[in-house]
Amino acid sequence: MTKSQLIERVAASETAWTRRNIEGAVNAIFDSMADALTRGERIEIRGLGSFQVKQRMPRVGRNPK
């Protein structure tokens, strides 16, 4: 599901809000999630999952030729 599909689905179920208001709310949620992840915080949304940034060691790539 893309962000525009999410906005359309919420707009179809919520009749009191305009599409522009719903788009602003979805953008605000995603922006705050991105800000939290850049600060190194962990995000947990019950029923959906948890998100965090992990630092991994670099791997040596191989050319399959």
Side-chain angles (χ1 to χ4, degrees):
M1 176 179 278
T2 64
K3 185 164 61 168
S4 62
Q5 290 171 336
L6 175 64
I7 292 168
E8 289 299 322
R9 180 140 331 153
V10 173
S13 66
E14 180 61 47
T15 58
W17 287 17
T18 65
R19 186 183 185 287
R20 185 173 296 233
N21 288 341
I22 294 169
E23 184 175 356
V26 168
N27 286 333
I29 291 169
F30 285 154
D31 289 343
S32 64
M33 288 175 67
D35 290 341
L37 289 173
T38 56
R39 288 191 306 266
E41 297 176 8
R42 181 174 179 268
I43 300 171
E44 181 178 344
I45 301 174
R46 303 289 170 137
L48 179 65
S50 61
F51 305 91
Q52 65 184 12
V53 177
K54 289 187 177 184
Q55 298 294 328
R56 297 183 184 202
M57 297 296 295
R59 297 187 297 168
V60 176
R62 289 188 229 149
N63 188 346
K65 293 182 180 178

